[in-house]
Amino acid sequence: MRASAYPLIDADQAAALVLEHTPVLGVEQVAVGGCAGRVLAEDVIAEAPLPAFPSSAVDGFAVRASDAGKTLRVVGESAAGRPFQGAIPSTSAARILTGGVLPEGADCVVMVEDVQLAGDTVTVPKVLKAGANYHKVGDDLKPGDRILAAGTQLGAAEIGVAAATGRANLPVRRRPRVALMSTGDELVEVGKTPGPGQIPDSNRWALLAALREAGAEVNVLGIAPDEPEALRKLVVEALREADVLVTSGGVSVGTHDLVKPLLESLGTVHVGRVKLKPGKPFTFATLGHAPLPDPLPWGERVAFGLPGFPVSSLVTFEVFVRPALRKMQGFAQLQRPSLPVRLGYDAKPTADRTEYQRVTLHREGRELVAETTGSQSSSRLMSLAGAHALVRVPADDQSLKKGSVVEALILNLP
Ligand code: AMP
Ligand code: MG
């Protein structure tokens, strides 16, 4: 074992360094059919009013309010997509269907339930109100209105409103292309029987799921051995096509831990150790040196060396990698949402390290109550499986006793 050459950095400072060195990716035009989950790169502004024409809200008759109480001649029909041609003459009406254009001359629509029909005439109620029962031009949007803001994630309603204004394509940020690699001579492919001292490579699949949820396109590279040249070759090759490298394992101070020196030879290591539990060996670098290709227009490639212990790799993913991937995609909101929760247990702090404790949540009355998932050992994946939230316990903070209320990062609500 060697002593680490890297300074222990405060967890918040490390998170800030990661974001500072993470570029925002470029913009591409994507057809609305492929925009679900993507992030808008620019505001979308209405060019034309919506609705574009006055359209009936009901089935009935388009008339003049001044003809209230009269018997009117029905001169034609305005159906959705098939407008009445011309204007309706005085003391006449046009049959109109929902979505039909209000004909010229008419200033209101009477519902079919409120009239008396006889042959080709219709008798309308004694009281009519101009403007009734139709949508006015620009009711929904006026030209120049901001429809959607840059940084918005596109879901069903956002895609719908963009399509309603005739936008076939939208400017969205590129998804980060991530090369994912596990390191360690002890790892075997999941499904193969481990030999003596071997374990299945579970991090690869856990991190793949986490990366996809965060919006990344992932190139899964498999297992790299604890051998410097082989690892270097794999990484350099992978980075030709990637914006981001994510590795797990090989970042602690054992002699087989090769990731930090490799990243250092390819760029700059900004974070080499963090005052964080779990996740002290977390490593972050920007990669710009030969033999890598030149930086892309929006900046250098970034690399995350995650610790090997499964919980450490996923917690450091949450704390550092996920916000960075969201920055790359232009999200306005980088962090998980947080909610106040009442602690159902004494959250014991760790000396000199910020700890992210895994908790389940349940409701008691109007409150969310957090219970620990049990032993918080970084080798115990069951402390994260089924967890609903992370409770951040500052170093040496003795105040987080059972019953106190803290903000928790919500992973998913029960
Ligand atoms: P390391 O950071 O390489 O020293 O790894 C620490 C420990 O994490 C190892 O001893 C393994 O128990 C575990 N580990 C490392 N890589 C993986 C992986 N890909 N999947 C599951 N466990 C792993
Ligand atoms: Mg290892």
Side-chain angles (χ1 to χ4, degrees):
M1 298 289 255
R2 301 157 285 150
S4 174
Y6 296 94
L8 258 170
I9 299 180
D10 177 77
D12 289 343
Q13 199 188 335
L17 275 168
V18 168
L19 289 180
E20 181 189 323
H21 290 283
T22 297
V24 178
L25 298 179
V27 180
E28 58 188 6
Q29 297 290 329
V30 172
V32 281
C35 280
R38 302 297 293 270
V39 184
L40 255 188
E42 296 157 18
D43 289 351
V44 175
I45 306 293
E47 285 168 10
L50 189 72
F53 52 83
S55 70
S56 185
V58 296
D59 292 335
F61 290 87
V63 299
R64 289 179 177 79
S66 56
D67 285 337
K70 293 181 186 165
T71 297
L72 310 172
R73 200 160 57 85
V74 179
V75 293
E77 183 184 88
S78 182
R82 280 178 281 128
F84 179 83
Q85 298 298 321
I88 56 167
S90 59
T91 58
S92 59
R95 182 182 288 278
I96 193 164
L97 298 151
T98 305
V101 182
L102 188 78
E104 266 175 62
D107 61 9
C108 67
V109 176
V110 205
M111 294 213 291
V112 69
E113 294 88 333
D114 295 341
V115 302
Q116 273 151 19
L117 275 168
D120 62 356
T121 67
V122 62
T123 304
V124 296
K126 291 200 170 60
V127 179
L128 293 177
K129 230 177 94 198
N133 294 327
Y134 72 93
H135 303 295
K136 323 292 176 293
V137 171
D139 258 1
D140 209 349
L141 289 170
K142 300 191 171 37
D145 281 356
R146 186 167 76 173
I147 303 170
L148 297 166
T152 303
Q153 187 171 32
L154 297 166
E158 293 75 25
I159 290 170
V161 77
T165 61
R167 300 289 296 254
N169 300 289
L170 290 170
V172 295
R173 296 266 163 209
R174 211 158 56 63
R175 288 184 183 282
R177 290 172 305 201
V178 177
L180 172 64
M181 188 184 303
S182 302
T183 74
D185 288 338
E186 75 277 33
L187 303 176
V188 289
E189 293 289 337
V190 173
K192 289 210 176 121
T193 308
Q198 293 187 316
I199 57 169
D201 173 13
S202 64
N203 285 354
R204 191 197 317 175
W205 307 110
L207 289 169
L208 175 63
L211 285 162
R212 288 200 174 137
E213 187 278 336
E217 278 171 16
V218 188
N219 181 13
V220 185
L221 293 167
I223 302 165
D226 287 326
E227 201 278 298
E229 261 323 295
L231 183 65
R232 185 184 173 81
K233 258 187 83 182
L234 270 171
V235 164
V236 168
E237 189 53 40
L239 283 170
R240 291 189 196 290
E241 297 286 307
D243 309 296
V244 182
L245 173 70
V246 174
T247 63
S248 76
V251 284
S252 47
V253 287
T255 43
H256 294 295
D257 294 317
L258 309 166
V259 172
K260 282 183 229 242
L262 171 65
L263 296 180
E264 216 164 50
S265 75
L266 297 171
T268 308
V269 173
H270 302 279
V271 178
R273 284 194 308 157
V274 188
K275 291 182 185 173
L276 181 67
K277 185 183 174 184
K280 187 173 168 189
F282 168 80
T283 301
F284 169 73
T286 47
L287 305 180
H289 296 182
L292 296 178
D294 289 337
L296 297 164
W298 36 85
E300 289 186 325
R301 291 162 181 78
V302 291
F304 298 91
L306 308 185
F309 281 118
V311 177
S312 310
S313 70
L314 286 178
V315 169
T316 52
F317 182 91
E318 280 297 326
V319 175
F320 302 115
V321 186
R322 190 174 181 276
L325 294 173
R326 288 173 69 87
K327 179 179 175 187
M328 294 180 117
Q329 293 166 82
F331 273 97
Q333 171 72 30
L334 302 186
Q335 306 299 334
R336 293 266 186 200
S338 70
L339 286 174
V341 304
R342 187 172 294 282
L343 292 179
Y345 69 107
D346 285 340
K348 295 207 178 64
T350 301
D352 208 33
R353 285 201 278 167
T354 303
E355 184 172 357
Y356 281 88
Q357 297 184 353
R358 286 78 73 197
V359 297
T360 59
L361 300 175
H362 65 272
R363 278 187 72 143
E364 281 182 19
R366 319 191 84 203
E367 281 185 334
L368 285 169
V369 174
E371 296 292 349
T372 174
T373 55
S375 160
Q376 300 287 297
S377 160
S378 59
S379 60
R380 192 175 159 260
L381 202 45
M382 289 308 289
S383 71
L384 193 52
H388 298 125
L390 299 175
V391 169
R392 183 177 179 283
V393 181
D396 305 301
D397 185 342
Q398 302 288 347
S399 70
L400 302 184
K401 299 286 183 220
K402 179 174 176 165
S404 54
V405 175
V406 298
E407 286 285 314
L409 283 179
I410 305 299
L411 303 172
N412 52 69
L413 283 173

